Amino acid sequence: MPTYKAPVEDVLFLLNDVFHLERYNNLPGFADATPDVVQAILAEGAKLCEEVIAPLNRVGDQEGCRRAEDGSVRTPSGFKDAYRAYCEGGWMGISAPAEYGGQGLPTTLNTIMQEFVSSANLAFGMYPGLTQGAIAALYVHGSEEQKRTFLPKMIEGAWTGTMNLTEPHCGTDLGLLKTKAVPNGDGSYAITGTKIFISAGEHDLSENIIHLVLARIEGAPAGTKGISLFVVPKFLLDGEGRPGARNAVSCGALEHKMGIHGNATCVMNYDGAKGWLVGEANRGLNAMFVMMNEARLAVGVQGLAQGEVAYQNAVAYAKERLQGRSLTGPKSPDKPADPIIVHPDVRRTLLSIRAFTEAARALVLWTALRSDVAHRSEDEKERQAAEDHMGLLTPVVKGVLTDLGFDSAVKAQQMLGGHGYIEEWGMSQFVRDARITQIYEGANGIQAMDLVGRKLAKDGGRAVMAFFNEVGAFCQESGADEAMKPYVAPVSQALGHLQQATMWFMNNAMARPDNAGAGAYDYMHLFGLVAMGYMWARMAKAALARKANGGDAAMMDAKLITGRFFMERLLPETAAHLARISAGADAVMSLPAEAF
Amino acid sequence: MPTYKAPVEDVLFLLNDVFHLERYNNLPGFADATPDVVQAILAEGAKLCEEVIAPLNRVGDQEGCRRAEDGSVRTPSGFKDAYRAYCEGGWMGISAPAEYGGQGLPTTLNTIMQEFVSSANLAFGMYPGLTQGAIAALYVHGSEEQKRTFLPKMIEGAWTGTMNLTEPHCGTDLGLLKTKAVPNGDGSYAITGTKIFISAGEHDLSENIIHLVLARIEGAPAGTKGISLFVVPKFLLDGEGRPGARNAVSCGALEHKMGIHGNATCVMNYDGAKGWLVGEANRGLNAMFVMMNEARLAVGVQGLAQGEVAYQNAVAYAKERLQGRSLTGPKSPDKPADPIIVHPDVRRTLLSIRAFTEAARALVLWTALRSDVAHRSEDEKERQAAEDHMGLLTPVVKGVLTDLGFDSAVKAQQMLGGHGYIEEWGMSQFVRDARITQIYEGANGIQAMDLVGRKLAKDGGRAVMAFFNEVGAFCQESGADEAMKPYVAPVSQALGHLQQATMWFMNNAMARPDNAGAGAYDYMHLFGLVAMGYMWARMAKAALARKANGGDAAMMDAKLITGRFFMERLLPETAAHLARISAGADAVMSLPAEAF
């Protein structure tokens, strides 16, 4: 049975030593987040995840969700109690606005908790995760009345949220969307259509489910410019704002999936369900993007989270399993064999995961802090820079962290040999669960196109130039420090590769857009490696400083070694990405479709 | 519902144009394999796989195997009939020795059929696959009486075979093996112990199951030098050689696995079961290696096979699914959107799979032909060279083809987006099934250590030098041909990386074996890339020749484009592998075990 321990120490190192949380004290909500408070909050969150939510992971996988004939859906045993504990702990609204009942603490804290929950139980974490996304969308685009009606109940967790985009014939290309909205004449609309792959579309955790639904108002333009966003509660509210009559929306079926069995993935049928417009008509995609961007970052965190928990269980096995002898002579001569952690290839595998997860966690926190700045700073320039960063890094975090999170789960499973393939050991579930993160919220190929086709050139390349400047300046400043050289030199070189690739697109993709399309995926990963390399350089600097101050030598040494491993083993991939990008679209595009 | 079409055309191109099958006519069995006969055999095999075996793939996944209380095991619906059809077609013994009822045709033909069967239904293919491995082991190491007793029945498929190595506390490290063999005094032994992960250990397909079991004879030395091989039939044979009394061996449980549900993976309990020594006492590992080497090549083929069938289904989806518009303007203006195969990233993904599978198939056939030479040539030098090749390439085929086969299945699944994650589309099964190939028959990390720790230095590096010479000579010869330059130049460079890496091990691993261990996995993949690059160069040469002769321009153009894609997109990875290898073991080994 797999176990989980939340990486609280590592998070505190990042918040305090690397990102200096105290420097953000001028932002609303941050002054309350003193080091002591943060530590206490994280300890509390860790406990909930380790002791209540993680033990339900396997139960959720085995039982799955069950739909009754009346369309109601039962979540796996224990999920209801765990959800109640989560809500009672105030986790749903930890970073939500105080005016609607939230605690107003930094988003960064919520992001950390998202990692812990997603490691403990990915399928479970999606119920609150989608609710938080819906809260964000309603907060930004809902009317004052909608906010007053829905947000307090959602922030306390009594009501949950969903996002309804996909239809059988359209996922990525929402312009093809068919679900219809017909005005009822009373300000509401009658929504009719079928939505598929709706996570948490129906379940028994909450008193009401608040669906955010994309639909096309009768007579609206074709394509993406005729899509509007509606709020459609499962139960219509009575005069006192309490769930009353059942709305005409129901779960038609549950999907049978490779993983995340504990989450109810529903076919949702809207049969003239009553809904209300959120934001402007025909601007629904714009409104939904608030939720999608939140969700994309959260999904990146899920990828990291599955890599982390898979790593922990692979390490536990590698320390216990006795098999073979070290190449340099027995290390446990009193035992029939050495633990497999003595073998270089086992260590290489484990370090590959760890060098990724620790950098990914840093990247996530860096981005989460920027999100706080974007939402809370009073300085417009600072806000803009933070928003630039978010736009640029969102596809990278989503695409790269989920690809590497999945790879990490596969690598961790491999450490257990045949036992990894047997369900009772739990490693298979990490792999099967992690797999969805590469697919949903925009498949990773779409993230790559978002990065290359949209984010790079936006505002004259302002965001990417700022990123280059920041990484370049850090390398410049730290390059003179002898102890930093093993970190700075490789990152400088990798940054050079990224800049060359960017330049290659500028020179070759205008005239031939397929050159961008054919190189986009490699570019996304190249970008991710540079960003994670930069995170390692900053962590190394912080580790050297803390060590110099006499703190936690063992933990800091581990950081420095893992960082070196990243430079030597993961970062060299940037040259291969650059070579692939520079090869262009010729070989990719010249095969006729029928020859595939 | 996924479908499968056996790649007969591609195989014929390889046999006729690339490897010139007719040049092997001096070997026994090859004279019968005229082009017409081969084509007819492959067409027949393709039909069986496409129409009978493939349609049972999903059934097998969903139903799985069921164990009754009496320990008997039922295979999924339809498996029995399909197995009968396979045996009646003579496929079990197609390459088996004629003296025991086989057809004596080239092993290469059997290898091709293994690919087809493993694409159609991996779980099903394991039943005959293990039987063929057991036939090989008994043929090489069994006594004349054992051969007469078991081989004819196994070759006709009436009896199946298994290999019993793993025990709960030992997989890779067989020296820890505890199963005991006590002489009964009549030439037989009483075998007692528990074996786990025994594929096809118990089932309802055959009249008898012939277990090959590793055990330790009472008083034998500890470690691997005290292990013997025994043949243990499920039913003891009566006076006329027919299955009679039940032997004391039974299936204690079936494992619940991530995939290959259609194959019975058994815990086998031996309670004083009657067995007979195969080959010499205490030389059991040596005897079992015949079966393991056969199995390792077959598992490499399974990896390729899953990549191939996943590719075919991803292509079908990419041609049908309408979503978005081409970057260069609508390609299907009459439809609401273009098929996704217009998108460069979709093509890049599909070509990544295909550039691998076609090279992998060539590598497999090249190696299979060498296997035929090794077993059938009368020229001792030729035999030795072929055996050198087999020894060197076996870990590469097993390790690299299964890693890339799994990656290919994952990539293909990704093409279907959310539908790829839903079980009814079948892509999840390809991923779940392919995953085992990286684990069983020696996890891929073990293959890497076999290659670097054993095969490289064997006989003074004779095998690897021969490989370098062959690839180098080909590049030299073909380098002057302008049309071949896009293939030869990258392969030459990649070969240089491989030679540098080999040299690095020679200079750095003697004094510090961990340097070999830390670089072994990258070396295995570097080797695989060079070998596949060489295959592409040979295929390009053959394609240019056939095109010059006016043959199949469309198919040959596709070969040439896919080969270019390989050079531009897959082969650049060799530099990254070399960089990682040259980084050595420092960062890998310096983290204390407790710091993981």
Side-chain angles (χ1 to χ4, degrees), chain A residues 171 173 256 258-259 323-324 347 354 410 413-414 421 423 432 435 438 518 569 573 580 584 588 591 595, chain B residues 171 173 256 258-259 323-324 347 354 410 413-414 421 423 432 435 438 518 569 573 580 584 588 591 595:
Chain A
D173 186 357
H256 297 101
M258 184 178 182
Q323 206 82 176
R347 295 172 148 256
R354 180 164 169 172
V410 171
Q413 181 188 30
Q414 187 76 13
Y421 199 66
E423 290 293 348
R432 291 184 290 100
R435 185 69 185 89
Q438 301 170 285
R569 299 272 173 166
E573 194 65 25
R580 286 191 278 262
V588 176
L591 201 63
Chain B
D173 186 356
H256 297 100
M258 183 178 182
Q323 207 80 177
R347 293 172 151 256
R354 180 164 168 172
V410 171
Q413 181 188 32
Q414 187 76 12
Y421 199 67
E423 290 294 347
R432 291 184 289 101
R435 185 69 184 91
Q438 301 170 284
R569 300 271 173 168
E573 193 66 25
R580 286 192 276 264
V588 176
L591 201 63

Side-chain angles (χ1 to χ4, degrees), chain A residues 157-229:
Chain A
W159 303 351
T160 56
T162 70
M163 58 196 295
N164 288 241
L165 289 78
T166 306
E167 300 181 3
H169 62 289
C170 79
T172 300
D173 186 357
L174 289 170
L176 303 175
L177 191 142
K178 287 181 184 162
T179 296
K180 270 188 315 195
V182 180
N184 287 327
D186 61 354
S188 72
Y189 290 78
I191 314 284
T192 302
T194 301
K195 296 286 183 179
I196 62 170
F197 303 157
I198 305 309
S199 301
E202 179 60 54
H203 58 78
D204 56 1
L205 299 183
S206 61
E207 295 161 17
N208 204 354
I209 301 176
I210 311 305
H211 302 290
L212 292 184
V213 184
L214 291 182
R216 200 180 288 285
I217 298 174
E218 246 188 343
T224 53
K225 285 174 183 161
I227 298 174
S228 303
L229 180 64

Side-chain angles (χ1 to χ4, degrees), chain A residues 84-375:
Chain A
R84 194 175 309 123
Y86 176 92
C87 295
E88 284 172 359
W91 296 105
M92 189 74 88
I94 179 173
S95 308
E99 51 184 314
Y100 299 107
Q103 297 180 58
L105 284 162
T107 292
T108 304
L109 291 183
N110 186 49
T111 302
I112 295 165
M113 186 62 176
Q114 283 179 337
E115 186 200 322
F116 295 176
V117 174
S118 301
S119 280
N121 192 327
L122 183 57
F124 175 87
M126 293 169 67
Y127 296 102
L130 282 156
T131 305
Q132 292 181 328
I135 290 169
L138 283 170
Y139 183 68
V140 176
H141 290 284
S143 68
E144 191 45 46
E145 193 197 335
Q146 286 169 341
K147 290 195 242 191
R148 263 182 316 178
T149 306
F150 297 111
L151 290 185
K153 283 296 189 182
M154 293 173 81
I155 285 170
E156 72 182 46
W159 303 351
T160 56
T162 70
M163 58 196 295
N164 288 241
L165 289 78
T166 306
E167 300 181 3
H169 62 289
C170 79
T172 300
D173 186 357
L174 289 170
L176 303 175
L177 191 142
K178 287 181 184 162
T179 296
K180 270 188 315 195
V182 180
N184 287 327
D186 61 354
S188 72
Y189 290 78
I191 314 284
T192 302
T194 301
K195 296 286 183 179
I196 62 170
F197 303 157
I198 305 309
S199 301
E202 179 60 54
H203 58 78
D204 56 1
L205 299 183
S206 61
E207 295 161 17
N208 204 354
I209 301 176
I210 311 305
H211 302 290
L212 292 184
V213 184
L214 291 182
R216 200 180 288 285
I217 298 174
E218 246 188 343
T224 53
K225 285 174 183 161
I227 298 174
S228 303
L229 180 64
F230 297 88
V231 57
V232 185
K234 171 181 167 183
F235 292 106
L236 296 166
L237 305 184
D238 66 16
E240 286 159 47
R242 287 176 311 209
R246 182 68 196 250
N247 204 349
V249 47
S250 61
C251 166
L254 290 180
E255 303 285 3
H256 297 101
K257 310 181 299 286
M258 184 178 182
I260 50 166
H261 297 159
N263 196 276
T265 306
C266 302
V267 175
M268 296 301 294
N269 297 323
Y270 290 84
D271 302 310
K274 209 170 229 189
W276 288 265
L277 188 64
V278 178
E280 285 176 55
N282 299 335
R283 297 272 296 153
L285 267 193
N286 184 48
M288 194 57 118
F289 257 111
V290 173
M291 186 161 184
M292 280 163 71
N293 278 331
E294 289 260 335
R296 284 174 176 186
L297 287 172
V299 171
V301 173
Q302 292 176 346
L304 148 65
Q306 288 293 295
E308 171 67 34
V309 68
Y311 169 82
Q312 291 185 14
N313 286 280
V315 164
Y317 185 86
K319 287 179 179 171
E320 274 172 24
R321 174 75 169 175
L322 305 178
Q323 206 82 176
R325 287 294 184 190
S326 163
L327 295 172
T328 53
K331 295 290 170 284
S332 306
D334 52 321
K335 293 189 178 149
D338 289 336
I340 62 171
I341 202 159
V342 304
H343 302 305
D345 191 59
V346 168
R347 295 172 148 256
R348 177 196 63 82
T349 306
L350 294 173
L351 281 167
S352 297
I353 306 175
R354 180 164 169 172
F356 153 65
T357 55
E358 293 188 4
R361 184 171 298 119
L363 189 59
V364 162
L365 293 197
W366 186 37
T367 305
L369 284 165
R370 295 287 178 110
S371 165
D372 275 318
V373 172
H375 290 115

Side-chain angles (χ1 to χ4, degrees), chain B residues 318-570:
Chain B
K319 287 178 179 173
E320 274 172 24
R321 175 76 170 175
L322 305 178
Q323 207 80 177
R325 288 294 185 189
S326 163
L327 295 171
T328 53
K331 296 290 171 286
S332 305
D334 52 321
K335 294 189 178 148
D338 289 336
I340 61 172
I341 202 160
V342 304
H343 301 306
D345 191 59
V346 169
R347 293 172 151 256
R348 178 196 63 81
T349 306
L350 294 173
L351 280 167
S352 297
I353 305 175
R354 180 164 168 172
F356 153 66
T357 55
E358 294 188 2
R361 184 172 298 119
L363 190 58
V364 162
L365 293 198
W366 186 39
T367 304
L369 284 166
R370 295 286 178 112
S371 164
D372 275 317
V373 172
H375 290 115
R376 300 179 188 212
S377 173
E378 296 191 349
D379 181 329
E380 199 190 314
K381 238 179 120 180
E382 223 177 57
R383 272 206 320 270
Q384 187 195 70
E387 269 163 23
D388 282 356
H389 173 96
M390 297 280 296
L392 187 67
L393 267 294
T394 295
V396 175
V397 167
K398 198 289 183 179
V400 175
L401 270 53
T402 59
D403 276 0
L404 295 182
F406 174 74
D407 285 352
S408 295
V410 171
K411 284 192 171 97
Q413 181 188 32
Q414 187 76 12
M415 292 300 90
L416 278 77
H419 298 102
Y421 199 67
I422 304 298
E423 290 294 347
E424 70 178 295
W425 288 77
M427 304 303 285
S428 162
Q429 189 189 348
F430 297 139
V431 171
R432 291 184 289 101
D433 285 2
R435 185 69 184 91
I436 190 58
T437 64
Q438 301 170 284
I439 297 172
Y440 64 16
E441 300 312 333
N444 286 355
I446 301 301
Q447 304 299 329
M449 283 309 294
D450 178 42
L451 175 64
V452 170
R454 202 170 301 148
K455 302 297 173 61
L456 274 193
K458 198 164 173 265
D459 304 311
R462 194 175 63 205
V464 74
M465 291 310 299
F467 177 83
F468 290 166
N469 287 340
E470 174 166 351
V471 180
F474 181 90
C475 290
Q476 196 97 43
E477 282 161 32
S478 309
D481 180 352
E482 196 59 36
M484 282 296 291
K485 277 194 179 147
Y487 307 96
V488 168
V491 172
S492 290
Q493 195 188 23
L495 177 63
H497 292 154
L498 181 61
Q499 289 170 324
Q500 285 175 62
T502 312
M503 193 65 76
W504 193 90
F505 282 143
M506 285 176 63
N507 293 334
N508 296 283
M510 306 279 203
R512 191 173 179 198
D514 284 337
N515 276 328
Y521 211 87
D522 277 287
Y523 187 88
M524 177 175 76
H525 275 277
L526 171 50
F527 204 112
L529 284 169
V530 172
M532 290 192 290
Y534 173 51
M535 291 297 103
W536 267 118
R538 288 187 63 173
M539 288 191 281
K541 190 168 184 164
L544 288 166
R546 185 147 144 196
K547 221 179 133 186
N549 292 331
D552 305 290
M555 184 180 161
M556 294 307 109
D557 281 342
K559 274 279 167 214
L560 292 166
I561 292 167
T562 310
R564 257 194 66 202
F565 182 93
F566 182 91
M567 302 301 158
E568 290 176 4
R569 300 271 173 168
L570 274 64

Side-chain angles (χ1 to χ4, degrees), chain B residues 45-224:
Chain B
K47 198 173 164 218
L48 177 69
C49 291
E50 290 164 8
E51 297 176 9
V52 177
I53 299 175
L56 300 176
N57 196 37
R58 184 135 193 263
V59 177
D61 188 53
Q62 290 181 303
E63 280 188 22
C65 294
R66 278 173 235 174
R67 179 183 173 279
E69 267 189 42
D70 65 0
S72 67
V73 171
R74 212 170 67 203
T75 55
S77 307
F79 271 43
K80 238 172 141 162
D81 290 342
Y83 180 75
R84 195 176 307 124
Y86 176 93
C87 294
E88 284 172 359
W91 296 105
M92 189 74 87
I94 179 173
S95 308
E99 51 184 314
Y100 299 108
Q103 298 180 57
L105 284 162
T107 292
T108 303
L109 290 183
N110 185 50
T111 302
I112 294 165
M113 186 62 176
Q114 282 180 338
E115 185 199 322
F116 295 176
V117 175
S118 301
S119 280
N121 192 328
L122 184 57
F124 174 87
M126 293 169 67
Y127 296 101
L130 281 156
T131 305
Q132 292 181 328
I135 290 169
L138 283 170
Y139 182 68
V140 176
H141 290 283
S143 67
E144 191 45 46
E145 193 197 335
Q146 286 169 342
K147 290 196 241 189
R148 264 182 312 169
T149 306
F150 297 112
L151 291 186
K153 283 295 189 182
M154 293 172 81
I155 284 170
E156 73 181 46
W159 302 352
T160 56
T162 70
M163 57 196 296
N164 288 242
L165 290 77
T166 306
E167 299 181 3
H169 62 288
C170 79
T172 300
D173 186 356
L174 289 170
L176 302 174
L177 192 142
K178 287 181 185 162
T179 297
K180 269 187 316 193
V182 180
N184 287 325
D186 61 355
S188 72
Y189 290 78
I191 314 283
T192 302
T194 301
K195 296 286 183 178
I196 62 169
F197 304 158
I198 305 310
S199 302
E202 179 60 56
H203 58 78
D204 56 1
L205 299 183
S206 61
E207 295 161 16
N208 204 356
I209 301 176
I210 311 305
H211 302 290
L212 292 184
V213 184
L214 291 182
R216 201 180 288 284
I217 298 174
E218 246 189 343
T224 53

